[in-house]
Amino acid sequence: FFFQAEDGIRDPLWSRGLGDVYKRQAFEPRRYHASCIIGKHLLVYGGINWQQTYLSDVMAINLAAQPDPLNVNINPYRWVPIRFKGEKPGPIAYHSAQLILHPDRYRYGGQLSLTSLSELRGKNTRILQEGIYIFGGRDERGPNNKLHVLKIGHKLCEWEEIKPRGATPLARYGHSMNHYPQKNILVLYGGRNDENFESTGESYLSDVWILSLDNLMWKQWMNEGSNPPPRSFHSAAVIGTSILIFGGINDNNYCLSLIHI
């Protein structure tokens, strides 16, 4: 279904994208943000607004909200700022986000939301840190390769920067990051780093990195075959034991309409 979240718009000309209308919204219009679903909540972080300003707000909406039967004209869907502690990554766009929870959180019919998680049965040994993983992206200074986790399940969420030991991926933006639950890893692919052009002659990336969720260490994945052509702003999905890569752009313009597995 489709719905219009409450955003403060009261102008019948809202669809024209006028600046004064944008300014009246409770949640700024944006692009190049990251989002994920946590139970009944949709969370959105960062992005770039209509004035080309990088954003740092964290907002959520309750997708299971029910209308008031006594006043059906009141929209129940409202964006709410997330309260948290710790230092957040700051203004950012073109980043990636993935929700990582222990599988048992889903198995026993428990409730999942930003402020409440079902209890685990037994000790959690598979995932060192649960939460929403944020990697890379860029701001006005350029791309980064920082890894942050937003810890959820409490009334006050908490930001933490993870500093893995050993090698780390090159800073990048416009990449993909997918959870591969069978192997308990995050898979990072592609993206763009304009500073890399000076040393390699290539600003678009085709490397593959994996983050082990049991020890939070990065490792570059060396394929037996050749990697797909370098690209950014592509789409990626995990299907069974495979990761599918499609589309994107690189120095040669749009990537061919091929699916790489």
Side-chain angles (χ1 to χ4, degrees):
F1 61 94
F2 297 88
F3 62 85
Q4 170 77 30
E6 180 65 44
D7 53 14
I9 292 178
R10 292 294 179 269
D11 193 321
L13 301 179
W14 65 270
S15 60
R16 295 185 180 181
L18 301 177
D20 61 335
V21 176
Y22 285 163
K23 292 176 182 178
R24 294 204 304 273
Q25 296 188 69
F27 186 33
E28 287 190 82
R30 65 196 60 210
R31 57 195 172 104
Y32 305 132
H33 51 277
S35 64
C36 62
I37 296 287
I38 309 98
K40 62 183 180 180
H41 290 115
L42 168 66
L43 179 140
V44 174
Y45 168 56
I48 299 176
N49 70 7
W50 62 283
Q51 294 178 310
Q52 310 305 312
T53 300
Y54 287 84
L55 305 173
S56 63
D57 51 349
V58 184
M59 304 286 284
I61 191 169
N62 184 354
L63 301 176
Q66 298 295 321
D68 185 349
L70 300 180
N71 194 340
V72 295
N73 293 321
I74 296 180
N75 191 337
Y77 302 106
R78 297 178 182 273
W79 289 105
V80 177
I82 298 302
R83 298 174 58 240
F84 56 83
K85 59 182 179 179
E87 184 176 354
K88 62 182 176 182
I92 196 172
Y94 311 100
H95 48 299
S96 57
Q98 277 287 328
L99 173 66
I100 301 298
L101 295 176
H102 194 280
D104 284 353
R105 301 279 191 197
Y106 304 96
R107 288 176 181 164
Y108 304 113
Q111 296 297 316
L112 298 179
S113 73
L114 278 169
T115 57
S116 177
L117 296 177
S118 57
E119 293 186 6
L120 288 176
R121 299 187 180 184
K123 187 178 180 180
N124 179 6
T125 58
R126 285 177 47 82
I127 297 175
L128 190 60
Q129 180 60 67
E130 294 182 296
I132 301 170
Y133 282 64
I134 305 290
F135 177 80
R138 67 165 295 156
D139 57 19
E140 295 177 347
R141 296 168 295 180
N144 74 77
N145 63 347
K146 293 181 179 180
L147 178 66
H148 289 84
V149 175
L150 180 61
K151 302 176 185 178
I152 62 175
H154 306 279
K155 291 185 177 180
L156 197 62
C157 298
E158 181 179 2
W159 281 108
E160 180 181 349
E161 181 178 355
I162 305 297
K163 297 182 178 180
R165 294 173 290 128
T168 57
L170 188 70
R172 66 194 64 208
Y173 64 98
H175 52 278
S176 60
M177 185 173 70
N178 297 83
H179 183 205
Y180 189 175
Q182 289 90 338
K183 295 293 185 180
N184 197 34
I185 59 176
L186 283 173
V187 182
L188 176 71
Y189 168 71
R192 178 172 176 173
N193 183 317
D194 299 323
E195 299 172 357
N196 193 51
F197 185 84
E198 297 180 3
S199 58
T200 66
E202 179 66 71
S203 57
Y204 293 89
L205 308 172
S206 63
D207 51 345
V208 179
W209 288 77
I210 60 173
L211 179 72
S212 298
L213 295 172
D214 58 353
N215 59 19
L216 295 181
M217 292 186 65
W218 286 108
K219 179 181 179 181
Q220 186 169 6
W221 183 262
M222 306 305 295
N223 296 327
E224 294 182 358
S226 59
N227 287 357
R231 68 190 64 208
S232 66
F233 301 109
H234 52 281
S235 60
V238 174
I239 305 295
T241 59
S242 300
I243 296 180
L244 280 61
I245 307 293
F246 177 80
I249 59 173
N250 58 25
D251 287 326
N252 297 320
N253 210 330
Y254 287 89
C255 297
L256 297 177
S257 298
L258 301 175
I259 297 178
H260 298 271
I261 301 177

